[in-house]
Amino acid sequence: MNLPDDKILLPKSALPAAWINVLPDLPEPLAPYLGRDRQPVDPSALAAIFPPALIEQELSGQRLVPIPEPVLEALAMWRPTPLIRARRLEKALGVSSRIYYKDESVSPSGSHKSNTAMAQAYFNRAAGVKRLSTETGAGQWGTALAFAARHFGLDVRVYMVKVSLEQKPYRKVIMNLLGAEVLASPSQLTEAGRRVLAAEPNALGTLGLAISEAVEEAAGRPDTNYSLGSVLNHVLLHQTVIGQEVDKQLAMVGEKPDFLVACHGGGSNFGGLAIPYVAKLLAGEKIRVIAAEPESCPTLTAGQFGYDVGDVAGLTPLMPMFSLGAGFQPPAIHAGGLRYHGASPIVSSLLKSGLIEAEAVSAEEAFNYAKMMAFSEYVVPAPESSHAVAVACRKALELEQAGRPGCLVFTLSGHGLLDLAAYQTA
Amino acid sequence: MNLPDDKILLPKSALPAAWINVLPDLPEPLAPYLGRDRQPVDPSALAAIFPPALIEQELSGQRLVPIPEPVLEALAMWRPTPLIRARRLEKALGVSSRIYYKDESVSPSGSHKSNTAMAQAYFNRAAGVKRLSTETGAGQWGTALAFAARHFGLDVRVYMVKVSLEQKPYRKVIMNLLGAEVLASPSQLTEAGRRVLAAEPNALGTLGLAISEAVEEAAGRPDTNYSLGSVLNHVLLHQTVIGQEVDKQLAMVGEKPDFLVACHGGGSNFGGLAIPYVAKLLAGEKIRVIAAEPESCPTLTAGQFGYDVGDVAGLTPLMPMFSLGAGFQPPAIHAGGLRYHGASPIVSSLLKSGLIEAEAVSAEEAFNYAKMMAFSEYVVPAPESSHAVAVACRKALELEQAGRPGCLVFTLSGHGLLDLAAYQTA
């Protein structure tokens, strides 16, 4: 009996022992974060909302940051995640390229967000913090932080973008089951929320505003720190377990990738896949690394590079990044996790330097390829991940037309089992 | 680095090579199925709706039935499933017993139903059948059959109990993504459905009625066979991969079970865990094997043993089983998969012979323990599985009070990610 095994699995012992910090290897050093006075922010100013370890990671020059044992033990609950050869998807597309997907949906919270959630909950707990505030768009991040906070014994309040909460009421149910408190943003609890509601009582909410609310709360309460699911350097750092595992898994089957594709909202999922490959890109290896973003929120493909704030109220520092403007109101697409006006400074820098690329995908194209994936691979992608499915399929078809089949890898950042309403209307 | 590993994993090579047929080992042989004339049914009468291989399995005297290679390859997509030590649940309960759960939720359809769905789709396809009709309660079975039918290239129509379809609209979305057609039962398509709708236009539907509709369709269309997700001998046969794997996994960690617990609706999940242990029970090993059923549909704890039909319209043969009566209308509990008036003849026989036990659980108790499981193990059980969680926890607490900690195993028959509305109101 020769059982086919399209799942490339690593043993627990192959869990990466360190995170990869790309800051020392960026072609151009990152410009500093600026305060409202446009002077570089002193790291100590961040101490009101972040624990010391995360501030250190945010600015670190160390290439490898060891993963503390309690975080490794937590990650080992579901990592290493499988890399899966999508043979049936290849067949459905009619291509002779090899398509692999990294299945981050197997985490208990259903997405890659658990990787940084565990690290952030741990470092906050280790610093004696008892309570976290955060925001969430589609709910993946809020669920992940609720899970990690529960695991390390912290309380958490989640400001969830109102339109997403209405689209996905069951995300709140899960966060509540894990002990987290969930509020619709804009809320009446913060100055930032009240201001928006006064101007527009039916505001749909945005990630940028929900961030303002969560930051405002953390800055105003000594018992509470703030936790962010994307954009910042330390968040991308924690996600580098993804690309490190992919690299080992491809080696196990003798593959070298021609394309690496991940969806892009704030940059954590994309950065997690891309950063471990930066050294190879700098060494001249021919790998095309593509960020897949929604046409309706085209930060990387249509945004401007420059300094912008990360939230609507301007409570965050100014960051050097691609942005559509902090006031940009994306339409209420189902890929709520991609409805963000900015891009992480690291991803922005990689894009500016030409090491990576970005492509925009319409909601229709994303859902069409996601449906093909569900029909062939029996996996329902999260609406966010569907953008990566689409770009990977596009590229496989382009390779086929050019008569040059290759190896494509994309990240399935999460499953869509809590997003089925999107498929109902798609 | 000593990474704790509470997941007991088997290699693909440990997939069971055969199903275990308990028929030759039942303390009393099963009484035959009877027709409306109360005469034993001739197996050939079943050929209108079942393929020959499944009819043979239904009546087989062979102790081990080899699993065909294409079915093994399909099962290998997600099997062997993990057996997980629920250490955090033990801690939450405050018990020193060891609690393990067999995680059948990892199948692509999210429940144990995929095990028999793959086998049934395969044997139908091998017999040249192109189309299946079936019923589904909560949607687990319909999803599993949609998945398996898609995999083996069959069309499928699913009659879904109306109240469950309304509670869980997203189940239909998934079945549609997999290419299946889904109708609310009672429907206007069948005589059985029309009769009920004429009498009660707002009928909630029951599994028993949905079976009538699916059987009526298959009996009336030469291109269509019928597929059942529980009750019948061949269905329980296909589920014996569960208990066989559990037995190997417990041996890997040097455990012998004191309690085996599974929820019980028609008997497929319970039978799958229990049947591989019957030989040990007959040999006198002291293992308590308990079927957990809902108080509101107490087939095993309050039903009568005797001949009854499996559906409302009386289209199935009379079967020797515990039953609440084919006309029994269970309330619209969320554990839709347990809303069935009968019990499989095999489970009924095991209960009558005293080899196994049954306990009823209130919806409130089931949800309370399910919430404890979500909060401690970060896994949301299906409402059906919650009944097994509850009985396992009950027994662990009883052992603790008696000062005799032991080893308890329950089946997590499915995840509750598509049942979160139940948790919202629970």
Side-chain angles (χ1 to χ4, degrees):
Chain A
M1 170 79 28
N2 181 22
L3 290 173
D5 200 338
D6 295 338
K7 284 193 189 177
I8 304 159
L9 300 172
L10 291 166
K12 294 257 179 260
S13 57
L15 248 173
W19 293 302
I20 295 181
N21 177 22
V22 76
L23 294 179
D25 291 318
L26 289 175
E28 277 182 52
L30 282 196
Y33 295 168
L34 302 181
R36 292 187 196 200
D37 56 3
R38 301 197 76 93
Q39 295 303 307
V41 170
D42 188 282
S44 67
L46 301 172
I49 59 170
F50 293 121
L54 295 180
I55 298 173
E56 199 185 312
Q57 288 169 18
E58 189 64 21
L59 305 163
S60 173
Q62 204 181 330
R63 280 200 168 80
L64 290 175
V65 179
I67 307 179
E69 191 155 339
V71 177
L72 267 183
E73 287 172 6
L75 296 179
M77 282 191 279
W78 73 93
R79 302 205 73 87
T81 61
L83 182 73
I84 300 172
R85 173 85 184 268
R87 285 185 200 272
R88 294 184 302 269
L89 177 62
E90 294 166 11
K91 203 172 157 195
L93 280 170
V95 299
S96 44
S97 285
R98 287 94 58 210
I99 304 177
Y100 296 86
Y101 64 97
K102 178 67 169 168
D103 191 1
E104 290 294 309
S105 78
V106 300
S107 97
S109 81
S111 85
H112 75 291
K113 293 289 187 191
S114 304
N115 300 326
T116 183
M118 278 298 169
Q120 293 191 47
Y122 167 75
F123 287 117
N124 272 289
R125 180 74 206 193
V129 174
K130 299 271 169 61
R131 190 170 177 283
L132 297 173
S133 68
T134 196
E135 73 291 326
T136 197
Q140 280 103 335
W141 167 242
T143 307
L145 192 65
F147 159 51
R150 167 69 194 124
H151 189 71
F152 284 112
L154 293 150
D155 290 330
V156 62
R157 176 182 282 166
V158 180
Y159 291 89
M160 183 163 181
V161 176
K162 194 167 76 179
V163 60
S164 294
L165 183 55
E166 285 165 3
Q167 283 171 341
K168 299 167 192 191
Y170 300 140
R171 279 285 177 190
K172 176 174 186 290
V173 178
I174 292 199
M175 289 185 260
N176 290 161
L177 281 173
L178 292 166
E181 182 189 358
V182 182
L183 301 172
S185 166
S187 81
Q188 293 287 356
L189 285 195
T190 66
E191 184 59 37
R194 287 189 295 269
R195 206 180 309 137
V196 169
L197 286 175
E200 195 188 344
N202 297 319
L204 298 176
T206 61
L207 262 181
L209 176 61
I211 294 174
S212 293
E213 294 207 88
V215 170
E216 183 184 326
E217 171 168 335
R221 283 185 63 158
D223 66 340
T224 301
N225 260 354
Y226 169 68
S227 200
L228 182 65
S230 192
V231 180
L232 297 177
N233 302 341
H234 69 267
V235 181
L236 273 64
L237 177 80
H238 302 153
Q239 293 292 358
T240 59
V241 290
I242 300 174
Q244 292 185 69
E245 289 179 9
V246 167
D247 194 45
K248 288 185 199 173
Q249 287 164 313
L250 288 176
M252 280 169 70
V253 290
E255 288 275 22
K256 288 195 172 191
D258 297 296
F259 285 90
L260 296 172
V261 180
C263 67
H264 183 276
S268 79
N269 166 58
F270 177 77
L273 178 64
I275 288 171
Y277 281 91
V278 165
K280 292 184 182 177
L281 296 172
L282 289 170
E285 281 193 37
K286 296 239 172 308
I287 308 172
R288 288 181 62 188
V289 185
I290 307 180
E293 65 177 10
E295 268 183 6
S296 58
C297 191
T299 314
L300 298 173
T301 53
Q304 297 280 326
F305 183 84
Y307 269 108
D308 198 1
V309 287
D311 68 319
V312 165
L315 299 182
T316 72
L318 289 156
M319 294 179 284
M321 63 182 183
F322 282 92
S323 173
L324 296 161
F328 180 76
Q329 283 261 5
I333 56 168
H334 279 283
L338 307 184
R339 290 179 75 239
Y340 186 64
H341 68 278
S344 88
I346 288 174
V347 174
S348 297
S349 167
L350 293 172
L351 181 65
K352 228 164 56 95
S353 70
L355 284 182
I356 63 148
E357 308 165 51
E359 292 195 13
V361 178
S362 71
E364 192 191 348
E365 188 183 359
F367 274 113
N368 284 342
Y369 282 114
K371 285 178 184 173
M372 184 185 279
M373 172 117 181
F375 193 63
S376 60
E377 292 290 322
Y378 321 135
V379 165
V380 183
E384 291 80 6
S385 317
S386 302
H387 293 73
V389 180
V391 169
C393 288
R394 257 189 207 171
K395 295 300 156 194
L397 290 169
E398 285 177 22
L399 289 178
E400 200 68 16
Q401 279 218 307
R404 297 185 289 103
C407 171
L408 303 100
V409 179
F410 70 90
T411 308
L412 185 76
S413 55
H415 65 66
L417 293 180
L418 296 168
D419 305 279
L420 290 168
Y423 285 88
Q424 203 168 19
T425 55
Chain B
M1 170 78 30
N2 180 21
L3 290 174
D5 200 339
D6 295 339
K7 284 193 191 178
I8 304 159
L9 299 173
L10 290 168
K12 294 257 180 261
S13 57
L15 249 172
W19 294 302
I20 295 181
N21 177 21
V22 76
L23 294 180
D25 291 319
L26 289 175
E28 278 181 51
L30 283 196
Y33 295 168
L34 302 182
R36 293 188 196 198
D37 56 2
R38 302 197 75 93
Q39 295 301 308
V41 169
D42 188 281
S44 67
L46 301 171
I49 58 170
F50 293 121
L54 294 180
I55 298 173
E56 198 185 314
Q57 289 169 17
E58 189 63 20
L59 304 163
S60 172
Q62 204 181 328
R63 281 202 167 80
L64 291 174
V65 178
I67 306 179
E69 193 156 339
V71 177
L72 268 184
E73 286 172 6
L75 295 178
M77 282 192 279
W78 73 94
R79 304 204 71 87
T81 62
L83 181 73
I84 300 172
R85 171 85 183 266
R87 284 185 201 272
R88 294 184 302 270
L89 177 62
E90 293 165 12
K91 203 172 157 196
L93 280 170
V95 299
S96 43
S97 284
R98 288 94 59 211
I99 304 178
Y100 296 86
Y101 64 96
K102 178 66 168 168
D103 191 1
E104 291 294 308
S105 78
V106 300
S107 97
S109 81
S111 85
H112 75 291
K113 294 289 187 191
S114 304
N115 300 326
T116 183
M118 278 299 169
Q120 293 191 47
Y122 167 75
F123 287 115
N124 273 289
R125 181 74 207 195
V129 174
K130 299 271 169 62
R131 188 169 177 284
L132 297 173
S133 69
T134 196
E135 72 292 327
T136 196
Q140 280 104 335
W141 167 242
T143 307
L145 192 65
F147 159 51
R150 167 70 195 123
H151 190 71
F152 283 112
L154 293 151
D155 290 329
V156 61
R157 176 181 281 166
V158 180
Y159 291 89
M160 183 163 181
V161 176
K162 194 166 80 180
V163 61
S164 294
L165 183 55
E166 285 165 4
Q167 283 171 341
K168 299 167 189 189
Y170 300 139
R171 280 284 177 191
K172 177 174 186 292
V173 178
I174 292 199
M175 290 185 261
N176 290 161
L177 281 172
L178 292 165
E181 183 190 356
V182 182
L183 301 172
S185 166
S187 81
Q188 294 287 357
L189 286 195
T190 66
E191 184 58 37
R194 287 190 294 270
R195 207 179 311 137
V196 169
L197 286 174
E200 195 188 342
N202 296 319
L204 298 175
T206 60
L207 262 182
L209 176 62
I211 294 173
S212 293
E213 295 207 86
V215 169
E216 182 184 326
E217 170 168 336
R221 285 185 62 157
D223 67 338
T224 301
N225 260 355
Y226 168 67
S227 200
L228 182 66
S230 192
V231 181
L232 297 177
N233 302 341
H234 69 267
V235 181
L236 273 64
L237 176 82
H238 303 153
Q239 293 292 358
T240 59
V241 290
I242 300 174
Q244 292 185 68
E245 289 179 9
V246 166
D247 193 45
K248 288 185 199 173
Q249 287 165 311
L250 287 175
M252 280 169 70
V253 291
E255 288 275 21
K256 290 194 170 190
D258 297 296
F259 284 90
L260 296 172
V261 181
C263 66
H264 183 277
S268 79
N269 166 57
F270 176 77
L273 178 63
I275 289 170
Y277 280 92
V278 165
K280 293 185 181 175
L281 296 172
L282 289 170
E285 282 194 36
K286 295 236 172 311
I287 307 172
R288 289 180 62 187
V289 185
I290 307 180
E293 66 177 10
E295 268 182 7
S296 57
C297 191
T299 314
L300 297 174
T301 54
Q304 296 280 325
F305 183 84
Y307 270 108
D308 199 1
V309 288
D311 68 318
V312 165
L315 299 182
T316 72
L318 288 156
M319 295 180 283
M321 63 182 184
F322 281 91
S323 173
L324 296 162
F328 180 77
Q329 283 261 5
I333 57 169
H334 280 284
L338 307 185
R339 290 179 74 241
Y340 186 63
H341 68 277
S344 89
I346 287 175
V347 174
S348 298
S349 166
L350 292 172
L351 181 65
K352 228 163 57 95
S353 71
L355 283 181
I356 64 149
E357 308 165 50
E359 292 195 13
V361 179
S362 72
E364 192 191 349
E365 189 183 358
F367 273 114
N368 283 342
Y369 281 115
K371 285 178 184 174
M372 184 186 278
M373 172 117 180
F375 193 63
S376 59
E377 293 290 320
Y378 320 135
V379 164
V380 182
E384 292 80 6
S385 317
S386 302
H387 293 72
V389 180
V391 169
C393 289
R394 256 190 208 171
K395 294 301 156 195
L397 290 170
E398 285 176 21
L399 289 178
E400 202 66 17
Q401 278 218 307
R404 296 185 290 102
C407 170
L408 304 100
V409 179
F410 69 91
T411 309
L412 186 77
S413 54
H415 65 65
L417 293 180
L418 296 167
D419 305 280
L420 289 167
Y423 284 88
Q424 206 168 19
T425 56

